[in-house]
Amino acid sequence: MPDPTRRSERSRAAILTATLDLLQESGYADLTVEKIAARAGVGKQTIYRWWSGRGAVVLDALVDQIGPAGPPPLPDTGDLEADLRLVVRAIVAELADPRLSVTTRALTIETLTSETFAETMRDRLLRPQLDTIKERLRGRVRDDVDLDQAVELLIGPMYHRWMMRTGPLTEAYADGIVDLALAALRPRQL
Amino acid sequence: MPDPTRRSERSRAAILTATLDLLQESGYADLTVEKIAARAGVGKQTIYRWWSGRGAVVLDALVDQIGPAGPPPLPDTGDLEADLRLVVRAIVAELADPRLSVTTRALTIETLTSETFAETMRDRLLRPQLDTIKERLRGRVRDDVDLDQAVELLIGPMYHRWMMRTGPLTEAYADGIVDLALAALRPRQL
């Protein structure tokens, strides 16, 4: 007897894989539920039974990739500047690469388009990632600094430059972000 | 005899006004070239003769609003902190109001969707606005700070919070941005 649960799981995995593959191959503007269904070998109605649209499928594919334990904590060598440099360089490199940043682009478009999507994306994908930075900063920055604003000081500028295409996304740029943020965040010397 | 140039100018003005009105009334997801044409009393083909799509019309409407002289320079009272506080509070208040930020939302979606649009938007609308902040900071921040990064330090965090809906957009938040940015940017005391 066929096992419907196992069949569902196989279809779900095929849909998520097809979605990320198609995104890599031709970008978000060309991604449609029709194409995902064709590539995954399922009917369109199967996708619409589980997801509201292509953005929701992309989000699930990424949450699946990270796994149920959530994103790993940031490195902690005891040297905050060195650790942040590694992390910010990695994010800048990802944003600079159109193949790697295609999923972030897709999720940002959906976030701007739908308030419901924005909340799901924030709670399931973004907040856990921002929290890894927040935890690394906790207790290591000026007492009067709001930790959410401290995280945004690191993250906001590079997303703005990436989105708006206002400047190069290089390692030197990444290091400049860390220098500026730490100048703002470090406990003031007496 | 009818004057075709004047008629074109009237149609163009009607299209730009209709676009901003419709955006205010029902948001970008509902905005179509069909609806703009109907409201402006022109044919769809008139719009497509002059613009590539709805995003390009929104951009032109905003550039027109600012006028050929470009955005006005920032206030300069001699008190950098007070001046930045006014500017950042104004931007945060605009982002916090869905009616005021609907055009920014529309342009950001198109910017993420099309590289060509992104470049036009950056050069015609965004860069002149960022440059008003850059000119205000010039000569008033640490010598070793890149001025483009200094502007992003003020602008990037609030756009990230607005887009991602990760926190309140209040006056206290705006003041926190200015405090952090100035802590990073001010010449170090010896």
Side-chain angles (χ1 to χ4, degrees), chain B residues 100-114:
Chain B
L100 294 178
S101 64
V102 65
T103 49
T104 303
R105 186 173 300 281
L107 295 174
T108 309
I109 292 172
E110 294 299 328
T111 285
L112 285 161
T113 306
S114 153

Side-chain angles (χ1 to χ4, degrees), chain A residues 122 152 161 165 173, chain B residues 122 152 161 163 165 173:
Chain A
R122 178 193 63 203
E152 286 170 2
R161 176 174 289 215
R165 301 172 192 264
Y173 168 68
Chain B
R122 177 193 62 202
E152 286 168 4
R161 177 174 288 214
M163 277 200 312
R165 300 169 192 266
Y173 168 68

Side-chain angles (χ1 to χ4, degrees), chain A residues 54-93:
Chain A
R54 59 182 189 153
V57 188
V58 174
L59 178 59
D60 261 8
L62 289 180
V63 171
D64 250 45
Q65 270 189 336
I66 293 169
L74 250 57
D76 188 353
T77 63
D79 179 345
L80 182 62
E81 183 171 344
D83 293 346
L84 289 179
R85 218 173 272 276
L86 273 180
V87 170
V88 173
R89 282 182 181 183
I91 301 175
V92 166

Side-chain angles (χ1 to χ4, degrees), chain B residues 54-119:
Chain B
R54 58 181 190 155
V57 188
V58 174
L59 178 58
D60 261 9
L62 290 178
V63 171
D64 250 45
Q65 270 189 336
I66 292 170
L74 249 59
D76 187 354
T77 64
D79 180 345
L80 182 62
E81 182 170 343
D83 294 345
L84 289 179
R85 219 173 272 277
L86 274 181
V87 171
V88 172
R89 281 182 181 182
I91 302 175
V92 166
E94 191 177 317
L95 292 174
D97 182 334
R99 275 176 54 90
L100 294 178
S101 64
V102 65
T103 49
T104 303
R105 186 173 300 281
L107 295 174
T108 309
I109 292 172
E110 294 299 328
T111 285
L112 285 161
T113 306
S114 153
E115 194 164 338
T116 313
F117 185 90
E119 285 167 8

Side-chain angles (χ1 to χ4, degrees), chain B residues 165-187:
Chain B
R165 300 169 192 266
T166 39
L169 293 163
T170 58
E171 208 159 81
Y173 168 68
D175 292 349
I177 287 180
V178 175
D179 290 347
L180 281 174
L182 285 181
L185 298 174
R186 275 200 165 126

